[in-house]
Structure formats: C-alpha cells, structure tokens
Amino acid sequence: MTRRNEKYDAIVRAARAVFGRVGYLTASIDLIASEAGVSTRTIYNHFDNKEHLFAEVLLASSRQVAEVHEAMIERRLTNVTDLPAALVALAEEWNRPQPEFDDHFAMSRRMGAERAHFPEKIYQAWREAGPWRVQRALAERFEELRDQGLLDVPDAGFAAHLFSVMIAEVRDYPKVVHAFLYGYLPRSCFECPGR
C-alpha cells in the first residue's frame, strides 16, 4: 500500500468515527485531520470539502453493510427446506452485533436528526446504496420463494420492508416469523411440515 493510500484510508476511518460521534454539523475538517493524524491540506488533496468527504464515507460504508446483508439473505434463504427456521436464522444473524460497522450505524442514526442540514441528494444516495439495496435483495428472494410456492407475497417489496421492520422492533424472532408467515404463507401451506 502506498503512503497516499494509507493517508486516504486514515482519513476515511477518522471521518467515519468523527461523523458518527459528533454528527455532520459539529464535525470539522480540523477535527477529522486531528483524528486521522494528517494535515487539513492532506484532506483537501483528496476531498473538495466536508460535504464531499461525508458523502463518500457514508456511501462507501453503506455499500459494505449492504453487501454483508445480501450475503446473509443468500446464505439463509437459498435451498430452503424449513422456511420458518430459515427466517428465524436470518433475523438472528441480521441483528447480531457487528462491531466493525459501529461507526457506520452511528452515522446512520444521526442521518434522521440532521437530514435537513445536508443536501437531499446525499440522503437519497445513502438510501439507494444501503437500505433500499438490501430491501430489493430481500424482495427478490421473497419472489423466488413465492415462485417455489413457499410464500404468497403479492407485493414482495412491501413484504421485505415489513419483515425488516418487524425483526428490528421485536427481538422474539420465532413469534415475529410466525406472525409474518401468518400473513404470507399460501393458504395450502398451513399444514406444511415445519409449521
């Protein structure tokens, strides 16, 4: 790795930590430079301004988190033989602590509180790179399960959104999955094995 890349990586790590800790409004290039152990000039050699730095850091970490969740969906909902167990396993893995992404999730939590203070295009790009991308992946898998006769989901996108909200709000995953499947199992499957 070149020295330039080392400095760039240090800036990105520091920016993610600072934005997550103090938010977009309070964060400054000086504070990020101090955290990264570089000069402000070094930061400006890589990024035009704070908004550019924030957008790049947020979108890059959003894509990383999305890739992890896409892999979970692929792992848990492929070749399903017991749908309730597969959905419970997905919910458990989905909500398992991921310390490597603590700074990202801190940034995401601040998005709601500070949304009015940075451009709408950044907010929309974040949604597209992270949450919406994951929702689409889950919806596509629900459509495949529907095609296999395991789910009855007229609107797979809504079902994916509902499932992710339910497992975020209620941590008793077997009960959540039971409630979810009550609405989305084909009527013929209420006597299916695994129920």
Side-chain angles (χ1 to χ4, degrees):
M1 181 181 293
T2 67
R3 182 74 177 149
R4 181 177 174 83
N5 287 341
E6 288 174 0
K7 288 186 176 181
Y8 176 88
D9 290 346
I11 292 165
V12 167
R13 283 193 303 273
R16 190 178 294 124
V18 170
F19 286 130
R21 191 168 62 241
V22 304
Y24 177 75
L25 287 177
T26 306
S28 67
I29 293 296
D30 285 340
L31 184 57
I32 293 166
S34 175
E35 180 110 359
V38 301
S39 68
T40 57
R41 176 175 292 185
T42 299
I43 292 181
Y44 285 119
N45 285 340
H46 292 281
F47 302 96
D48 296 335
N49 50 42
K50 184 173 82 167
E51 180 184 309
H52 177 208
L53 174 57
F54 179 76
E56 187 154 332
V57 167
L58 178 66
L59 297 182
S61 63
S62 293
R63 286 188 286 268
Q64 290 172 343
V65 172
E67 288 168 4
V68 168
H69 282 87
E70 286 170 336
M72 287 179 199
I73 294 165
E74 178 77 17
R75 186 166 45 254
R76 298 299 181 180
L77 298 183
T78 300
N79 301 320
V80 173
T81 56
D82 183 338
L83 183 56
L87 290 172
V88 168
L90 176 61
E92 289 171 347
E93 187 174 0
W94 193 289
N95 287 305
R96 193 169 294 143
Q98 297 173 306
E100 68 272 28
F101 294 125
D102 283 350
D103 290 335
H104 167 79
F105 289 118
M107 287 176 66
S108 296
R109 285 191 294 273
R110 290 189 169 275
M111 292 286 288
E114 297 187 347
R115 182 178 170 188
H117 300 285
F118 50 81
E120 181 69 14
K121 65 182 180 183
I122 294 179
Y123 181 80
Q124 293 300 329
W126 164 67
R127 299 286 292 168
E128 184 63 37
W132 290 343
R133 175 177 165 176
V134 174
Q135 291 290 307
R136 282 194 302 272
L138 185 56
E140 287 169 8
R141 193 48 51 107
F142 281 172
E143 287 173 348
E144 291 172 9
L145 292 168
R146 177 188 64 203
D147 294 344
Q148 295 164 25
L150 296 175
L151 284 178
D152 181 9
V153 284
D155 184 341
F158 178 79
H161 175 72
L162 179 63
F163 181 78
S164 61
V165 169
M166 289 173 75
I167 64 174
E169 296 294 326
V170 181
R171 297 305 172 97
D172 187 337
Y173 304 128
K175 286 183 180 176
V176 168
V177 166
H178 179 78
F180 177 79
L181 289 178
Y182 184 81
Y184 286 115
L185 270 182
R187 297 299 99 183
S188 61
C189 271
F190 274 97
E191 302 303 322
C192 290
R195 284 281 304 154

